Amino acid sequence: MAVIINAILQVTLITIVIVELIIGSLVNAFMALVNLLDWVKRGKISAVDQILTALAISRTAFLLSLMTSLLMTLLDPASLEMRIVRRMHPTSWTVTNHFSVWLATCLSIFYFLKIAIFSNSIFLALKWKATKVVSVTLMVSLIILFINIIVINIVTDRPKVNTSYWFSSNNTLSVYGLFLLTNALFTLIPFTVTLITFLLLIFSLWRHLKNIRHNAKGFRDVSTAAHIKSLQSVVTFLLLYTVFVMSLLFQSWNLNSQQINLSLMVFRSTAIAFPSGHSCVLILGNSKLRRASLSMLWWLRCKYKCTEN
């Protein structure tokens, strides 16, 4: 009976993971497509849309990488033994995840510089050159990525070792645990940066509200609304980001458990909620993307009704 229940749970979790991967890929592809089409139509693209487009593309690549790994495991597990696959999988995972995380961090930095209110001369200089600050941040992240890839290759470059998500030999589990732990530690860097911007945004909002407490408009003023909207986006990012990092850590710590397949599937289904769920939140928080998504849903509804008739 326990075996049957365990099998049912595994099938359910695999189904959840597949659905998350499909929805996440579609959502991010939609975000990138809308911004690219708008760029072609207008002949220009804002800095925020540039970050959102790059973020959507990187997350689509990340999710497709995970989907490829899953399909190879389910359809042809033997292919995972190939040396080229053993090297490409952790590298592609690391690169796409890196840009997914760092571009979201850059988005938080950009919102902070554009919205926060401080009289400090250094902050004002950074605020004036917000786009350059984002570019420099990405350049610095490339150095971190280079170091990350070197460490990952050292960890995974062992004979007869498969770093796939779904392979479960003792040797593989040990290497895979190191792979996850290494990536989790590297992702703590952008997490810390985002947390700092979040705290500074709160401090900026507190000072702003203190300055306008005599104003009858209160929360209705433009600056306050911008602060709150930005904080909502950053809070969502931090929460999902925390879940993602904790999932990586839990996976690296629980690879030797008896319920290895089931526990790992739970953690993986939780981790995928970050690149999929955060993009949904970004669409809802962006007026252009929100209108485009509503228009698409309306079109699909009309097509469905026409098909029924």
Side-chain angles (χ1 to χ4, degrees):
M1 186 65 179
V3 175
I4 297 176
I5 295 177
N6 188 62
I8 293 174
L9 289 175
Q10 287 190 32
V11 172
T12 302
L13 289 171
I14 290 176
T15 303
I16 293 174
V17 168
I18 293 175
V19 171
E20 285 182 323
L21 289 171
I22 294 174
I23 292 177
S25 299
L26 292 175
V27 167
N28 284 287
F30 171 79
M31 186 190 305
L33 182 62
V34 170
N35 283 327
L36 290 173
L37 290 176
D38 186 65
W39 185 9
V40 172
K41 179 180 179 181
R42 298 177 180 273
K44 60 181 180 179
I45 183 172
S46 65
V48 172
D49 286 343
Q50 289 180 39
I51 299 174
L52 287 174
T53 303
L55 176 61
I57 293 173
S58 66
R59 284 181 170 172
T60 302
F62 177 59
L63 292 169
L64 289 177
S65 174
L66 296 180
M67 192 180 301
T68 301
S69 175
L70 174 59
L71 292 175
M72 289 177 66
T73 304
L74 296 177
L75 301 177
D76 188 15
S79 65
L80 298 172
E81 295 283 357
M82 298 172 60
R83 182 176 179 82
I84 187 173
V85 175
R86 293 201 309 266
R87 296 185 67 89
M88 287 182 61
H89 171 67
T91 301
S92 64
W93 193 102
T94 301
V95 171
T96 53
N97 174 66
H98 173 91
F99 284 108
S100 170
V101 169
W102 273 100
L103 284 167
T105 301
C106 288
L107 186 64
S108 300
I109 294 174
F110 187 83
Y111 282 151
F112 163 69
L113 292 175
K114 286 295 184 180
I115 294 172
I117 302 174
F118 292 105
S119 57
N120 184 276
S121 58
I122 297 178
F123 172 80
L124 293 176
L126 294 175
K127 187 182 183 72
W128 181 256
K129 300 180 179 180
T131 304
K132 289 186 177 180
V133 172
V134 171
S135 300
V136 172
T137 302
L138 282 177
M139 293 298 293
V140 173
S141 78
L142 292 179
I143 299 175
I144 297 175
L145 173 61
F146 179 71
I147 298 173
N148 193 0
I149 292 177
I150 291 176
V151 175
I152 291 300
N153 284 331
I154 293 174
V155 169
T156 60
D157 190 17
R158 299 181 183 180
K160 298 181 180 180
V161 171
N162 176 0
T163 55
S164 166
Y165 277 113
W166 318 100
F167 199 71
S168 58
S169 68
N170 291 332
N171 194 28
T172 296
L173 292 179
S174 176
V175 176
Y176 179 50
L178 290 174
F179 166 71
L180 289 176
L181 182 60
T182 301
N183 275 293
L185 293 177
F186 272 96
T187 56
L188 288 177
I189 300 174
F191 177 82
T192 303
V193 174
T194 305
L195 181 60
I196 292 174
T197 61
F198 169 69
L199 295 176
L200 289 174
L201 268 173
I202 290 180
F203 182 63
S204 173
L205 176 61
W206 174 76
R207 289 187 58 183
H208 177 68
L209 292 177
K210 186 178 179 180
N211 291 333
I212 65 168
R213 63 182 181 275
H214 60 279
N215 193 327
K217 293 182 180 180
F219 278 87
R220 290 178 293 173
D221 84 293
V222 177
S223 182
T224 302
H227 271 82
I228 294 176
K229 184 178 179 179
S230 180
L231 281 172
Q232 289 173 343
S233 176
V234 176
V235 166
T236 304
F237 173 60
L238 282 173
L239 289 175
L240 291 173
Y241 201 0
T242 302
V243 172
F244 178 73
V245 174
M246 293 304 295
S247 174
L248 294 182
L249 292 174
F250 282 137
Q251 286 182 66
S252 65
W253 293 337
N254 290 274
L255 287 171
N256 295 318
S257 65
Q258 294 299 318
Q259 299 296 328
I260 181 68
N261 292 328
L262 186 59
S263 61
L264 287 184
M265 287 301 298
V266 171
F267 292 133
R268 285 162 192 155
S269 63
T270 304
I272 297 173
F274 168 57
S276 301
H278 184 239
S279 295
C280 292
V281 173
L282 290 176
I283 289 177
L284 293 175
N286 185 288
S287 58
K288 179 180 68 178
L289 294 174
R290 186 172 60 251
R291 287 195 302 269
S293 62
L294 291 175
S295 298
M296 186 189 70
L297 291 174
W298 181 260
W299 179 80
L300 290 174
R301 180 184 177 186
C302 292
K303 291 289 290 185
Y304 177 75
K305 287 187 174 181
C306 291
T307 303
E308 281 187 334
N309 296 332

